[in-house]
Amino acid sequence: KFARAQMTMLRSVIFCLLAVGAYSVEVGDKVKKDPVSYGFQAGNANGEVCSYQGTCAVDYVEGVCVSVSSGCCTGKLTSGLCPGSSDIKCCTSNGCSTPFGSGTCLQTSLCTGTSYPGYCTGPGDLQCCVGGTPPVPPTPTTAEYGVDVSTDMSAESASCLAASGNTYVIPRGYCSDGTIDHRVCSTLTTAYNAGVKTRDTYLFPCPTCSISADEQMKTLLNHLNTNCKEAWSGRVWLDIEGTQYWTGNTDNNRVWYQALVDACRNNGVTCGVYSSASQWSGIFGDLSYSYGADLPLWYAHYDGNPSFGDFAAFAGWTTPHAKQYAGTTTVCGMGVDKNYSPAF
């Protein structure tokens, strides 16, 4: 009886742990907790662990790149969207089962029922959606999707991104330490060769360096025009974020930023501004400060929702140009930030 009671208690504990998702899962060679944040590796019909090579999307429904032969997909399989061998395909709308009912693996932003973490192979936002109605993807002609990167992009990843419907790529061109990111031209060229329509770059300025804003802009433009003029679409985004990278004085910050915006105009280059309301107020002290509001705004809000429904006007911008809606996500075998725009 005592042994039977212990077994009953153990089963209850296991069920509770499964229900709340508070258990460890093995990811690569490390054990990480909380599948909501770190992603999860579910199993196939044989109880074997299913790993994934990266994320993908079909009709804007998020999926994962998995091995077909391992039996890790019971949903829709799409070829040509994942790096690796022909056995690796994009799996979307994969079936899942929870103690609360069966469902479909969907990103939480598309689930109209209840999302349960820990039952789907993939990143943390891909969860088992139980109940609700099937997602209605946006009409492809009404939006454009793209990525920004700060690492090298391989030809394989670029081709995969283009095949997945990404129409723009924005690599870092200038670093916060006041130096050129020498990977920018290789990424722009790789994206150009893969057929990606728009290939901008972003300048992460160094306001605390002895190099003026105008010189930082000139250095970037000279590098682009000398090494990859044909591959670059001609626009520079000014990355305005991180109070720790600025002077610590909002008045001085304004003076430096104004010089950077003026450098765009003085050097004849098309620019845009990347920021958010919280970053803007932290750096410049006031959301009513609106220098450069005639430039297009690319704002950040990691809500996983590719739309402008969350946008609130600030700094003179009433309508944004683009939104960075997901950060540090693995797509096509590389780390990217995901972006949305009605027309980039």
Side-chain angles (χ1 to χ4, degrees), residues 71-130:
C72 289
C73 182
T74 59
K76 178 182 177 181
L77 285 168
T78 305
S79 302
L81 300 182
C82 297
S85 69
S86 58
D87 182 56
I88 306 299
K89 299 185 186 303
C90 181
C91 177
T92 51
S93 301
N94 205 9
C96 52
S97 180
T98 78
F100 315 100
S102 297
T104 304
C105 294
L106 286 174
Q107 62 261 49
T108 54
S109 61
L110 289 185
C111 180
T112 58
T114 303
S115 294
Y116 295 101
Y119 301 98
C120 294
T121 294
D125 70 328
L126 198 63
Q127 300 181 12
C128 190
C129 179
V130 178

Side-chain angles (χ1 to χ4, degrees), residues 4-20:
R4 186 179 304 160
Q6 282 187 316
M7 183 60 69
T8 301
M9 183 179 297
L10 179 59
R11 286 174 179 166
S12 298
V13 170
I14 291 173
F15 178 81
C16 291
L17 288 174
L18 286 172
V20 301

Side-chain angles (χ1 to χ4, degrees), residues 76-236:
K76 178 182 177 181
L77 285 168
T78 305
S79 302
L81 300 182
C82 297
S85 69
S86 58
D87 182 56
I88 306 299
K89 299 185 186 303
C90 181
C91 177
T92 51
S93 301
N94 205 9
C96 52
S97 180
T98 78
F100 315 100
S102 297
T104 304
C105 294
L106 286 174
Q107 62 261 49
T108 54
S109 61
L110 289 185
C111 180
T112 58
T114 303
S115 294
Y116 295 101
Y119 301 98
C120 294
T121 294
D125 70 328
L126 198 63
Q127 300 181 12
C128 190
C129 179
V130 178
T133 58
V136 179
T139 304
T141 56
T142 64
E144 292 189 49
Y145 294 81
V147 301
D148 61 279
V149 300
S150 57
T151 58
D152 280 318
M153 178 180 291
S154 68
E156 189 176 44
S157 290
S159 296
C160 174
L161 287 167
S164 300
N166 291 280
T167 62
Y168 50 97
V169 167
I170 312 172
R172 181 177 60 192
Y174 197 87
C175 304
S176 59
D177 62 357
T179 61
I180 288 289
D181 188 330
H182 288 280
R183 297 167 294 193
V184 61
C185 276
S186 63
T187 295
L188 289 172
T189 302
T190 300
Y192 173 73
N193 291 336
V196 177
K197 185 181 74 171
T198 303
R199 304 155 310 276
D200 293 347
T201 187
Y202 70 90
L203 182 153
F204 202 134
C206 182
T208 60
C209 292
S210 59
I211 314 166
S212 70
D214 188 69
E215 281 302 312
Q216 291 185 34
M217 180 62 71
K218 278 185 167 66
T219 299
L220 174 58
L221 297 180
N222 180 65
H223 181 81
L224 295 170
N225 287 323
T226 300
N227 297 286
C228 54
K229 185 175 182 178
E230 184 180 14
W232 173 46
S233 296
R235 179 162 52 191
V236 174

